[in-house]
Amino acid sequence: MIEVIFLGTGGIKPTPERNVPSIAIKIGGEIILFDVGEGTLRQMEIARISPMKIKRVFITHFHGDHYLGLPALIQTMSLWKRKDPLHIYGPEGSSTFLQNLLNSGYFAPSFDILVHEISGKSRLKFKEYEVWAFEVSHGVPALGYVFKEKDKRGNFNLKKIKELGLEPGPWMKELERQKIIEINGKIVRLLEVTGPKKRGAKVVYSGDTEPCDEVIEFSRRGTLLIHEATYVNEEDRKDSYHTTIEEACEIWKKSKARKLVLFHRSPRYSFKEYKEKALSICPQAIIPRDFDRIAIEGAGDVLFKIR
Amino acid sequence: MIEVIFLGTGGIKPTPERNVPSIAIKIGGEIILFDVGEGTLRQMEIARISPMKIKRVFITHFHGDHYLGLPALIQTMSLWKRKDPLHIYGPEGSSTFLQNLLNSGYFAPSFDILVHEISGKSRLKFKEYEVWAFEVSHGVPALGYVFKEKDKRGNFNLKKIKELGLEPGPWMKELERQKIIEINGKIVRLLEVTGPKKRGAKVVYSGDTEPCDEVIEFSRRGTLLIHEATYVNEEDRKDSYHTTIEEACEIWKKSKARKLVLFHRSPRYSFKEYKEKALSICPQAIIPRDFDRIAIEGAGDVLFKIR
């Protein structure tokens, strides 16, 4: 099971009622952060999430509301004598930006900070999950991300095991590791004795963007599409590189992702006003508040919201 | 009357219950900020104080918890199309630090940002007030500041006016401006026809420091001494460049400032625990919470706390 935790659901600037963007994904004992708006450290304190569990941070782009919370996070990790390296991923320009950020005051990180600049479509493989990146359209180098939990093997099928003249036993652990082993003179493949693969959750985060096809492409069969919907209509959006609720809803429908979360709400709307408007346009959409959590079992078979 | 508004009373890092340092002083329609920890913009929103009223920001030193809230403030001022220049004062190194900060992302301030580096003792004169700066001892270039409200003339003394054969009239406005005028063939000095000068409020902010004599020197006859008291005892303080409650209390007594505020509380103490300890050591001290306000009439004749 993974958990998507909304640490900041608003955009542009904080208001008393919600902070600027940050999404944490919890998988096992690890926390992955997507965007780190100013004040994210305090939001993590309130959500009781330890910064020390963060291995990787993915920044969509370098507008202030998406990254200014990084130095305080780094400062606190140092205060707590972190040793593990911190990996920060971001679009073109990230290294210079982050270097300048850490040269903006007296910082002495107690750990290595490794910056990975991403341009174009990228697929990053890690132990339990992958992260894919794709470029979006926001007037400055900007990325959307996909968090893809690794698929898991199907359940062991006792009937099939017995048909091979075998009995359940420790060999199954070995088979799980090797995918194919020899036992009692027989070659056994994992796929032969297990049910259908359990697809891992797929969470897509658009970052800031005007409507763009890449999001549809990368959200196909996704579990959760978190799409910015900064404005309720085009009139409010004017010529900024953002998306309206209606457009986000269209993109979601085209992508056939299971669920849509509307994100990065402009400070001009109260939650109530925005939610009413959003549900009138897109009744199935989820409109999170800061600190809402969505737990996802597998590829979305079980999806429930914990508050 | 001026108002001292505590936007962030804690030090080192934010906790759910209090933010990192920022003090706003309200004089007339102007807001002056002393330190801008991360999240100050949101604290100002909660305190209903507009960033647009800020002309000057005084940074004590460039540890993250004292300045990282600046870029979000600048970003919001630009969003609201600010035209007036913003003056930022700070210790040695400020220009480079702030340049790096603004080069850490896509910023396009709609107004000029003028950085003033201060080293040694300095006296900055403005229309309604002065700000004095002095070096403190914190292991990195660091300043303490004094906000000195301009003294005001005494009230006009009718008896003295009559003794000069004069009657109250518009000439008094002229005299106030010129300090000395000729009327009905007589030279009249403002001081001759007014009561004792009304001393303006004097608010001293130590910034982060270990105990140092400069604070005593600059706090003499002050109205309010806001002194850091990060730790409740030397054991907790260890060898960090900070001050304990007891030491802050001693400094206050030596300075003979009217009131002491204990500030920059370490995140290791709850408010309750800290207050109990503080009042047991220094019963007269004020221990503010975030958003507490202290209104000061003149040099402290009337001093009350609005919550």
Side-chain angles (χ1 to χ4, degrees), chain A:
Chain A
M1 188 177 79
I2 67 162
E3 243 186 302
V4 178
I5 303 151
F6 295 95
L7 293 170
T9 53
I12 302 172
K13 76 177 188 61
T15 63
E17 168 257 322
R18 92 283 180 278
N19 203 44
V20 281
S22 185
I23 300 166
I25 291 185
K26 188 170 179 294
I27 178 167
E30 184 184 343
I31 294 286
I32 305 125
L33 278 192
F34 293 87
D35 279 343
V36 191
E38 182 192 61
T40 295
L41 174 63
R42 196 172 189 195
Q43 299 286 95
M44 292 184 78
E45 290 254 334
I46 295 167
R48 295 178 173 282
I49 298 171
S50 165
M52 301 301 258
K53 292 190 172 158
I54 301 169
K55 277 191 199 164
R56 296 183 182 92
V57 177
F58 294 85
I59 303 289
T60 56
H61 64 296
F62 280 83
H63 278 149
D65 52 336
H66 288 259
Y67 77 91
L68 282 172
L70 260 173
L73 219 54
I74 291 168
Q75 176 111 340
T76 295
M77 291 171 178
S78 292
L79 267 174
W80 291 347
K81 314 253 185 293
R82 178 184 177 120
K83 289 285 165 269
D84 300 340
L86 176 68
H87 294 268
I88 302 178
Y89 302 78
E92 194 196 307
S94 297
S95 313
T96 311
F97 284 146
L98 289 165
Q99 193 59 63
N100 287 337
L101 192 54
L102 292 178
N103 287 336
S104 73
Y106 296 102
F107 280 94
S110 58
F111 51 92
D112 289 338
I113 297 173
L114 308 163
V115 181
H116 311 261
E117 281 198 20
I118 299 172
S119 50
K121 293 174 185 172
S122 307
R123 182 176 182 178
L124 308 166
K125 295 190 173 187
F126 307 108
K127 199 168 164 254
E128 299 294 331
Y129 58 88
E130 297 184 7
V131 174
W132 313 337
F134 53 94
E135 289 180 4
V136 291
S137 172
H138 188 50
V140 293
L143 298 169
Y145 291 109
V146 176
F147 168 87
K148 176 68 184 65
E149 185 188 22
K150 284 229 168 119
D151 295 345
K152 292 198 176 73
R153 63 158 174 78
N155 295 334
F156 276 106
N157 182 322
L158 215 59
K159 195 164 152 278
K160 288 185 178 174
I161 289 173
K162 299 231 172 189
E163 279 164 9
L164 290 174
L166 295 169
E167 283 301 319
W171 59 271
M172 290 155 74
K173 271 252 170 281
E174 190 55 22
L175 176 60
E176 186 157 22
R177 254 198 314 278
Q178 310 287 355
K179 311 293 185 232
I180 176 170
I181 59 167
E182 196 190 333
I183 176 165
N184 302 358
K186 274 197 200 87
I187 301 291
V188 181
R189 286 181 181 70
L190 185 62
L191 291 176
E192 287 173 291
V193 289
T194 51
K197 247 192 330 187
K198 282 186 244 165
R199 272 196 318 113
K202 177 177 171 183
V203 179
V204 185
Y205 172 38
S206 67
D208 280 11
T209 184
E210 59 185 355
C212 71
D213 292 339
E214 285 75 3
V215 174
I216 300 172
E217 180 197 335
F218 275 80
S219 304
R220 287 215 193 291
R221 298 177 65 212
T223 316
L224 196 68
L225 167 55
I226 303 169
H227 201 294
E228 74 122 287
T230 306
Y231 296 104
V232 297
N233 54 44
E234 292 189 30
E235 199 200 322
D236 290 355
R237 192 238 324 258
K238 298 190 185 67
D239 60 0
S240 66
Y241 290 92
H242 285 294
T243 300
T244 67
I245 290 173
E246 196 165 356
E247 290 163 343
C249 207
E250 277 317 304
I251 288 164
W252 168 59
K253 284 175 185 162
K254 284 180 188 157
S255 76
K256 296 195 174 35
R258 296 178 79 102
K259 287 277 180 187
L260 169 67
V261 170
L262 297 175
F263 192 67
H264 198 265
R265 166 170 46 107
S266 160
R268 63 191 295 165
Y269 312 116
S270 70
F271 178 75
K272 187 169 173 292
E273 174 194 1
Y274 184 84
K275 185 170 184 178
E276 269 161 26
K277 187 79 187 174
L279 295 184
S280 68
I281 297 167
C282 201
Q284 313 90 323
I286 297 171
I287 296 103
R289 303 205 76 150
D290 284 15
F291 309 117
D292 275 0
R293 294 169 178 239
I294 293 179
I296 303 174
E297 183 67 59
D301 312 326
V302 174
L303 184 69
F304 50 90
K305 196 169 138 186
I306 317 162
R307 175 76 180 114

Side-chain angles (χ1 to χ4, degrees), chain B residues 30-142:
Chain B
E30 184 184 343
I31 293 285
I32 305 128
L33 279 190
F34 292 88
D35 279 344
V36 192
E38 183 192 60
T40 294
L41 174 63
R42 195 172 189 196
Q43 299 286 94
M44 291 184 76
E45 290 254 334
I46 294 167
R48 296 179 171 280
I49 299 172
S50 165
M52 301 300 259
K53 291 192 174 157
I54 302 170
K55 278 191 198 163
R56 295 183 183 90
V57 177
F58 293 86
I59 304 289
T60 56
H61 65 296
F62 280 84
H63 279 149
D65 53 333
H66 289 258
Y67 78 91
L68 282 171
L70 259 173
L73 218 55
I74 291 168
Q75 177 112 340
T76 296
M77 291 171 180
S78 293
L79 267 173
W80 291 345
K81 313 255 186 295
R82 178 184 177 117
K83 288 286 165 271
D84 298 342
L86 176 69
H87 294 268
I88 303 177
Y89 302 78
E92 194 196 307
S94 297
S95 314
T96 312
F97 284 145
L98 289 166
Q99 194 57 63
N100 287 336
L101 194 53
L102 292 177
N103 287 336
S104 73
Y106 296 101
F107 281 95
S110 59
F111 51 92
D112 290 336
I113 298 173
L114 307 164
V115 181
H116 309 261
E117 283 199 18
I118 298 173
S119 51
K121 294 174 183 170
S122 306
R123 181 176 185 179
L124 310 165
K125 295 190 173 187
F126 308 107
K127 197 167 165 251
E128 300 294 331
Y129 59 89
E130 296 184 6
V131 173
W132 312 337
F134 54 95
E135 289 180 3
V136 292
S137 172
H138 187 49
V140 294

